[in-house]
Amino acid sequence: MYKANVRKNGLERSKSVKEAQKPSQSFFPKYLKKVYPIGLQKSTSSLSLSSLSLSLSQNSNDSSLTADSLTPLDQKISLALRLISPREKKEPPPSATKTSQQQQQQQPSQLNNPTEPGELRRCNWITKNSDKAYIEFHDECWGVPAYDDNKLFELLAMSGLLMDYNWTEILKRKEILREVFAGFDPHAVAKMEEKDIMEIESNKALSLAESRVRCIVDNAKCIVKIVRECGSFSNYIWGHVNHKPTINKYKYPRNVPLRSPKAEAISKDLVKRGLRLVGPVIVHSFMQAAGLTIDHLVDCYRHSECVSLAERPWRHI
């Protein structure tokens, strides 16, 4: 009887040890339902943790596991892995990529200076907020070859005023400047006396310093000497560029220079002849305005028009 009890106790202990070693049946379904919102059923599948790890690392794209070889539980786990795995980025079609590259290669002048349908495209420093006088100057004068002595003297004098004002402020005073400086006739301005200078200096509509007025008068006297030597101021100025405008093809505003070697050469010679306010930057601005150099951007409608004027046979009038 004692042996029977010992055997019975041994069987119960071994049974309890096996039950203790047996994994809980309710653990995995309980917590897997929190991670994967699908119903898990009991399965005899051989899909191990290592295969699950491999499947996850491959973003559940293992082609060796087909739908026919997977049990319902395996299919649900595979579906759950697809849901939580990062999605692959789809590459855009070649046509879409080409269109995007073309948009990125658009000229900055077109992006910064959009125009309405039917509106003329200008250099992008002309904006919707630009003053009307400045727009007219760009459309009608800037870059047009000028051969008249009075016109050249006017543009040189206004370029010199860029030391104090911008083009818009100068152009608003253009008619008054023409009136007080006798239409910028260098011979008439050269004959101005002290009282004429003081009268112009006191004109509140101009707000010109006395030194600026005297500079224009003194420059007129120097131009008269140039006319006597070269026949005309136009012949002298255009002689520096062989009577042919320099045609540039700038695409972007940053490419347009503030000065040039040719402007430096003309500036040096003008200073040598006694003119003032004729530094390289001012002379280059004068050359742009007088059409000695065509600096309109290539996508500006005035570029082709000024080029056609520049390419005609040069004739001094």
Side-chain angles (χ1 to χ4, degrees):
M1 185 174 180
Y2 173 76
K3 291 181 179 181
N5 290 336
V6 171
R7 185 179 298 175
K8 184 178 180 179
N9 292 335
L11 292 173
E12 290 178 355
R13 288 180 181 178
S14 62
K15 184 177 181 180
S16 63
V17 170
K18 290 180 179 180
E19 290 179 353
Q21 294 177 351
K22 187 176 181 180
S24 174
Q25 299 293 335
S26 61
F27 174 79
F28 286 106
K30 178 180 179 181
Y31 291 97
L32 284 176
K33 285 182 179 180
K34 294 182 180 181
V35 179
Y36 310 118
I38 56 176
L40 296 175
Q41 299 176 357
K42 185 176 181 180
S43 172
T44 59
S45 170
S46 61
L47 190 63
S48 63
L49 291 177
S50 61
S51 63
L52 286 175
S53 175
L54 177 62
S55 177
L56 179 60
S57 64
Q58 295 177 350
N59 293 330
S60 301
N61 290 329
D62 191 352
S63 59
S64 64
L65 297 177
T66 61
D68 296 336
S69 63
L70 297 177
T71 64
L73 176 59
D74 299 336
Q75 294 176 1
K76 292 177 181 179
I77 292 176
S78 179
L79 176 60
L81 291 173
R82 292 193 190 99
L83 293 175
I84 66 174
S85 63
R87 297 182 179 180
E88 294 182 355
K89 295 183 179 179
K90 296 183 178 180
E91 296 183 358
S95 59
T97 305
K98 186 176 181 180
T99 303
S100 176
Q101 292 177 352
Q102 291 176 352
Q103 293 176 353
Q104 293 177 359
Q105 293 175 355
Q106 285 183 348
Q107 297 179 2
S109 58
Q110 296 177 0
L111 299 176
N112 298 334
N113 187 23
T115 56
E116 299 295 335
E119 184 179 354
L120 295 174
R121 185 176 295 281
R122 298 178 172 88
C123 299
N124 80 331
W125 50 81
I126 302 295
T127 66
K128 294 181 179 180
N129 298 326
S130 297
D131 189 86
K132 182 179 179 180
Y134 189 44
I135 297 176
E136 290 179 354
F137 177 66
H138 170 274
D139 293 352
E140 300 174 5
C141 177
W142 201 75
V144 176
Y147 303 107
D148 181 69
D149 280 9
N150 295 6
K151 183 66 175 180
L152 290 170
F153 178 40
E154 174 184 300
L155 293 174
L156 183 62
M158 290 196 301
S159 298
L161 295 179
L162 289 171
M163 293 288 293
D164 304 316
Y165 305 102
N166 57 42
W167 272 119
T168 300
E169 295 171 333
I170 296 170
L171 293 170
K172 287 182 177 181
R173 298 172 170 85
K174 182 175 64 174
E175 295 303 326
I176 303 176
L177 288 168
R178 286 176 176 175
E179 181 180 351
V180 299
F181 286 110
F184 285 98
D185 181 357
H187 296 278
V189 176
K191 296 178 181 179
M192 285 186 175
E193 300 178 354
E194 188 69 20
K195 62 177 182 179
D196 299 320
I197 295 175
M198 298 307 297
E199 183 179 350
I200 297 174
E201 187 269 334
S202 62
N203 192 324
K204 295 183 179 180
L206 287 177
S207 299
L208 286 180
E210 181 183 348
S211 60
R212 298 295 185 247
V213 179
R214 291 186 182 277
C215 178
I216 294 175
V217 174
D218 292 341
N219 285 352
K221 295 177 181 179
C222 295
I223 290 176
V224 170
K225 294 180 181 180
I226 293 175
V227 172
R228 292 172 183 171
E229 178 183 343
C230 302
S232 68
F233 185 55
S234 176
N235 192 37
Y236 163 78
I237 286 294
W238 282 97
H240 284 279
V241 293
N242 295 325
H243 306 288
K244 185 178 181 180
T246 301
I247 300 174
N248 298 307
K249 297 181 180 180
Y250 299 125
K251 293 184 178 181
Y252 312 109
R254 64 176 179 269
N255 299 137
V256 181
L258 294 176
R259 57 196 292 171
S260 64
K262 187 65 66 175
E264 293 176 358
I266 296 175
S267 171
K268 185 177 180 179
D269 192 68
L270 289 173
V271 172
K272 183 179 179 180
R273 293 176 179 272
L275 281 81
R276 292 182 291 164
L277 287 181
V278 286
V281 176
I282 290 177
V283 170
H284 189 72
S285 297
F286 161 71
M287 294 176 65
Q288 291 173 323
L292 279 81
T293 178
I294 309 300
D295 281 356
H296 284 282
L297 301 183
V298 290
D299 63 344
C300 174
Y301 86 98
R302 288 293 293 164
H303 183 270
S304 59
E305 295 181 357
C306 291
V307 167
S308 64
L309 293 174
E311 289 178 344
R312 69 183 180 181
W314 183 89
R315 292 181 182 178
H316 173 63
I317 300 176

